[in-house]
Amino acid sequence: MKQLLTKGIVLARTNYQEADRILTILTTDYGKLSVLAKGVRKSKSKMAGGVELFSVSEIGFMRGRGDLATMVSSRLIKHYGTIVQDINRTMLGYELIKLLNKVTEDEPGEDYFELLRITLESLDQAEIEVELIKLWFLAQLLKLAGHTPELYTNIARKPLERNETYAFSYDDMAFSENADGKFGSSHIKILRLAFGNHKPASLHKVQGAENIIRSCLDLTQNILPNHIRT
């Protein structure tokens, strides 16, 4: 039987029998895999180091007759060790991995792997705020699912103006001019970056971002359950 190789990130681990684990792994080539890692809980296991959480690894596996494959090798490529040194980063890492596992089907594209890899990479950088990383992750998740809000024109299809304030319509997925609205040009700039082709580090560079991230995150979190089953 042919051995297959792929890059992967562990989404979930379940202890099995005395020394084994069943792993759910998000891969670049084969979507989500369920693999049996035999003996991986033994202290001398050669594969244990390659299936750590918050890591990217090379996984060798063989298909079985059912849905469960057997892992035959693992090699650590990158471990994002700074994450576990901060409880807030650790908890957010667990939260976002769990969410991604829940909302993706068995065959998610490589874009989802990259989403998670960049998220871990960003969480590993202590200077980037955790709320900013969460905002970016949720925005990109919505984008991959085809639910990006309109961030350049208002409900009337007129360009958003720098000096106006806006309210957001969840039904229209767009902003409307409102004198009492809580969203301005700085919020819209952050949202454009979050939903665009940028990494969290780009959002971190926006002056004053820390003062408006909370309202942008609230907006994105309110959009999410309307379009993605969480």
Side-chain angles (χ1 to χ4, degrees):
M1 193 173 293
K2 183 179 180 182
Q3 177 180 334
L4 303 172
L5 285 176
T6 187
K7 288 182 182 179
I9 299 173
V10 174
L11 298 179
R13 304 186 297 185
T14 301
N15 290 343
Y16 181 72
Q17 296 187 350
E18 292 186 5
D20 306 339
R21 274 198 176 114
I22 295 175
L23 308 173
T24 302
I25 301 176
L26 180 65
T27 73
T28 53
D29 307 292
Y30 301 98
K32 284 199 302 189
L33 291 175
S34 291
V35 301
L36 175 62
K38 294 182 178 179
V40 76
R41 289 159 55 205
K42 293 180 179 179
S43 59
K44 295 183 179 181
S45 171
K46 295 181 179 180
M47 294 193 295
V51 290
E52 291 294 324
L53 294 175
F54 307 139
S55 300
V56 176
S57 301
E58 182 184 71
I59 303 296
F61 68 98
M62 299 178 70
R63 296 283 195 187
R65 294 182 179 178
D67 295 331
L68 188 64
T70 299
M71 190 171 74
V72 295
S73 67
S74 67
R75 179 178 65 85
L76 183 67
I77 296 174
K78 176 66 177 180
H79 177 58
Y80 299 101
T82 301
I83 296 175
V84 297
Q85 297 175 18
D86 182 286
I87 185 62
N88 293 323
R89 292 177 183 276
T90 302
M91 295 307 293
L92 181 59
Y94 284 135
E95 176 187 342
L96 299 184
I97 285 173
K98 183 178 179 180
L99 176 61
L100 190 62
N101 189 24
K102 185 176 181 180
V103 304
T104 51
E105 302 295 335
D106 291 339
E107 295 295 335
E110 187 175 350
D111 287 343
Y112 287 93
F113 175 90
E114 277 299 294
L115 169 60
L116 185 52
R117 185 192 66 78
I118 294 171
T119 299
L120 296 179
E121 178 183 82
S122 302
L123 283 169
D124 205 50
Q125 299 175 53
E127 69 275 11
I128 304 179
E129 298 86 346
V130 291
E131 285 194 334
L132 189 153
I133 296 169
K134 185 174 183 178
L135 165 63
W136 179 86
F137 177 91
L138 297 180
Q140 292 294 311
L141 195 60
L142 282 163
K143 179 182 176 181
L144 287 174
H147 300 295
T148 301
E150 176 52 60
L151 298 173
Y152 290 90
T153 61
N154 62 21
I155 289 176
R157 297 294 181 260
K158 294 182 179 179
L160 298 176
E161 301 291 343
R162 178 179 295 273
N163 298 321
E164 292 289 345
T165 56
Y166 296 92
F168 187 79
S169 169
Y170 292 96
D171 291 333
D172 297 294
M173 286 283 280
F175 290 96
S176 60
E177 290 184 14
N178 188 314
D180 298 321
K182 63 179 182 180
F183 298 102
S185 59
S186 295
H187 298 88
I188 293 166
K189 180 178 182 179
I190 287 290
L191 289 168
R192 285 174 178 173
L193 289 172
F195 280 91
N197 298 318
H198 301 272
K199 294 182 179 181
S202 297
L203 282 71
H204 172 72
K205 295 176 182 178
V206 176
Q207 187 172 5
E210 65 277 4
N211 299 320
I212 59 176
I213 288 172
R214 183 71 251 177
S215 53
C216 292
L217 178 56
D218 288 344
L219 172 67
T220 307
Q221 288 184 132
N222 289 335
I223 292 174
L224 192 72
N226 293 334
H227 299 283
I228 296 177
R229 182 177 294 180
T230 59

